[in-house]
Amino acid sequence: LKDFLKNDYRIIAPIRSLVRRFSYFGLVLAAAALMLLGKADIFLVERVSVTITDSLAPILGVLSRPITSAKELGKQLRSLVSLHADNTNLREEKARLLHWQTVARGLDAENKAFRKLLNFKPPPESKFVSARVIGDSSGAFANSLVLNAGSRDGVEKGQAVVTEEGLVGRIYGVGSRSARVLLITDLNSRIPALIESTNTRVILAGNNSARPHLLYPPPGDALSLGGRIVSSGHGGAFPPGLPIGVVALINDGSIEVQPYVMRDRIEYVRVVNFGLMGILRAPDSEARKP
Amino acid sequence: MKPTVWQRLDGLARKITPFGLTFVLVILSVVPLHLPDFQRVGPGLSLMAVCHWAIYRPDLLPPSAVFLIGVIQDSLMGLPIGVSALVFLAVYGMVLSQSRFFSGKPFVIVWFGFALLAAGATLLSWFLVSAFNTTLANPEAALYQYVVTIGTYPLLAWFFLRWQRTYLLLV
């Protein structure tokens, strides 16, 4: 056996050096080919990406937990300091909200009456999946999050991802136990939106900076600083009225929006199924459903 | 004297640590830290690792491992698959072709070399991502990340050099 191994080595050694020389360029070509393939056939390459993320999700889940807990602890300590002030604020807010509750109840009753008059069919009820953020691409070129919920939890491609503050992004890759969120700040994000005060349609486009900007802004002075931007519901991706952000800067040619959701504060999110046919959903996914 | 099974296993375990450490850094770079503004400008940890091992121990981090690290990073970060792989391989090839520049030089020179390489890598990533999305990516964040990466390199290099002296001297 020893002799065989020696001989074996003698044969293998030159082959190995040859392979090594070519493997480098082979791998460079493979990487370039993967990029081109990803551009041409999104599904196959995306599957690879989703599978890798999915298999590493448990590790990410464990690693992200202590950081979340530490942050939680810090929050608790800080809240202890501001306990008194918080209490006063909350009491004031409670009084204010009680007033709003009365108003909302009145409007609700009124709405119900009108709906009855119009034979209005209510939109399908939305379902939530709560998920923890276990990954955040820290690169300069990608703005996405990894969630610890996937297809087995009912997450599907194209669903909206929100926090209590507003829209975070949408699901664009789903594994069985993880999902990837394309943030509204990402270069590839385009969201049909409305300027709330004037009901003007715009497109909110990410550009990898912290503030997405508005495409196709209305001519004239329909815009003002601090104006609320909400989702418009066009294209069927999101329901209308999800808060997105406020107009933060108007320069000639570019209008920047400061999102309500601060990226570094996102720990838990809700993936929402509004029962809408998302623009991202594959046409056959409806047929596959029971 | 022939090494025993255990010695060989020990050697093997040591040999895969450069890949293991690089892999861990890829994972760590996507763990959310919830620090204000940090996530946008996190240092390119994996780039540093690939660069370091290419300079000091390319025999322990073969091109196939570099490729694999790149693909994993692309998947975890949601980048177009192949971008990091291509950038890392380019850096790797660059280092190996300039190995005379790096060999036996004081750390400051290596740091300078790394700064040049990282600049090339950042430019290449920016170009590839822009080409893939057929729109110009925002260069501001890339520049920021570049500066942070250069600044963090000595720290990681110090750790890796210690690791080499402790575990990789004889393998």
Side-chain angles (χ1 to χ4, degrees):
Chain A
L1 185 76
K2 254 186 227 164
D3 282 351
F4 175 74
L5 279 176
K6 248 182 212 163
N7 281 334
D8 204 35
Y9 185 73
R10 221 174 287 155
I11 299 164
I12 282 175
I15 295 176
R16 203 179 258 175
S17 79
L18 201 69
V19 166
R20 207 170 277 164
R21 210 171 293 166
F22 281 99
S23 74
Y24 174 75
F25 290 102
L27 287 165
V28 170
L29 283 178
L34 270 176
M35 267 189 78
L36 288 175
L37 196 66
K39 191 81 182 149
D41 176 9
I42 291 166
F43 184 76
L44 185 78
V45 176
E46 196 188 278
R47 243 18 264 173
V48 175
S49 163
V50 163
T51 310
I52 292 177
T53 309
D54 219 30
S55 48
L56 294 175
I59 303 177
L60 283 175
V62 170
L63 283 177
S64 60
R65 200 162 273 284
I67 292 160
T68 311
S69 319
K71 183 147 194 221
E72 214 66 19
L73 188 74
K75 231 191 255 170
Q76 273 173 20
L77 287 177
R78 248 175 292 140
S79 80
L80 270 180
V81 177
S82 57
L83 207 58
H84 185 72
D86 277 353
N87 243 334
T88 328
N89 282 343
L90 283 172
R91 269 200 204 103
E92 276 168 20
E93 204 174 311
K94 188 189 154 210
R96 210 171 45 241
L97 287 175
L98 272 175
H99 165 71
W100 276 109
Q101 197 189 30
T102 346
V103 175
R105 276 193 181 143
L107 286 173
D108 192 41
E110 202 178 22
N111 245 327
K112 267 184 194 150
F114 285 149
R115 276 179 192 170
K116 225 176 190 173
L117 281 174
L118 287 166
N119 273 330
F120 177 79
K121 198 170 151 263
E125 214 146 287
S126 47
K127 294 186 195 93
F128 294 99
V129 178
S130 295
R132 196 160 62 85
V133 175
I134 55 170
D136 188 337
S137 60
S138 58
F141 301 110
N143 285 273
S144 62
L145 304 174
V146 182
L147 305 180
N148 70 344
S151 55
R152 62 173 183 190
D153 306 291
V155 176
E156 272 177 55
K157 207 168 167 176
Q159 288 174 343
V161 179
V162 299
T163 66
E164 56 269 39
E165 281 133 3
L167 185 66
V168 175
R170 63 163 183 243
I171 300 286
Y172 87 96
V174 187
S176 71
R177 57 186 165 204
S178 69
R180 182 171 294 283
V181 183
L182 188 75
L183 294 170
I184 55 174
T185 51
D186 190 274
L187 196 61
N188 289 303
S189 169
R190 297 282 182 280
I191 289 161
L194 283 180
I195 300 163
E196 205 180 42
S197 56
T198 54
N199 256 355
T200 322
R201 283 198 208 177
V202 281
I203 297 281
L204 183 85
N207 60 353
N208 275 2
S209 73
R211 288 171 171 182
H213 55 260
L214 294 182
L215 293 181
Y216 319 120
D221 52 1
L223 270 167
S224 58
L225 277 179
R228 251 168 73 96
I229 305 293
V230 298
S231 66
S232 77
H234 293 110
F238 302 128
L242 286 178
I244 296 175
V246 292
V247 176
L249 184 78
I250 305 175
N251 245 339
D252 38 32
S254 96
I255 301 155
E256 291 183 0
V257 174
Q258 176 67 49
Y260 285 124
V261 179
M262 305 292 273
R263 181 182 182 169
D264 49 84
R265 298 218 197 111
I266 308 173
E267 284 160 58
Y268 294 92
V269 295
R270 281 185 299 175
V271 184
V272 196
N273 184 2
F274 289 100
L276 296 166
M277 277 285 293
I279 40 169
L280 273 178
R281 210 173 295 171
D284 60 338
S285 70
E286 278 300 295
R288 249 186 270 133
K289 261 195 252 167
Chain B
M1 201 180 80
K2 258 193 81 145
T4 65
V5 175
W6 288 114
Q7 278 167 332
R8 284 167 72 171
L9 266 181
D10 178 62
L12 191 71
R14 286 162 191 254
K15 271 180 193 166
I16 58 168
T17 53
F19 175 76
L21 288 172
T22 311
F23 177 71
V24 168
L25 287 178
V26 170
I27 302 256
L28 280 184
S29 62
V30 293
V31 169
L33 293 175
H34 303 300
L35 298 176
D37 265 348
F38 178 81
Q39 218 60 248
R40 294 193 51 75
V41 295
L45 293 173
S46 41
L47 176 71
M48 293 186 230
V50 167
C51 211
H52 182 96
W53 295 118
I55 292 171
Y56 292 100
R57 292 303 295 266
D59 55 321
L60 299 183
L61 196 73
S64 49
V66 174
F67 178 80
L68 196 63
I69 290 285
V71 170
I72 293 172
Q73 164 144 321
D74 288 333
S75 303
L76 282 180
M77 287 202 170
L79 284 165
I81 297 244
V83 170
S84 301
L86 206 55
V87 170
F88 289 168
L89 282 171
V91 167
Y92 188 84
M94 203 58 197
V95 172
L96 258 57
S97 70
Q98 302 297 318
S99 55
R100 220 185 307 156
F101 173 83
F102 287 109
S103 72
K105 290 284 160 54
F107 179 73
V108 181
I109 303 289
V110 174
W111 194 7
F112 175 70
F114 173 73
L116 288 180
L117 281 167
T122 309
L123 265 176
L124 184 61
S125 319
W126 180 80
F127 172 75
L128 288 175
V129 169
S130 297
F132 189 87
N133 295 310
T134 55
T135 163
L136 293 181
N138 180 20
E140 209 177 298
L143 191 71
Y144 226 81
Q145 183 175 43
Y146 171 69
V147 173
V148 175
T149 305
I150 300 295
T152 329
Y153 180 66
L155 213 68
L156 197 77
W158 176 82
F159 170 74
F160 277 165
L161 285 170
R162 281 206 68 135
W163 186 276
Q164 271 168 265
R165 241 171 270 144
T166 320
Y167 298 108
L168 303 176
L169 218 51
L170 298 171
V171 295

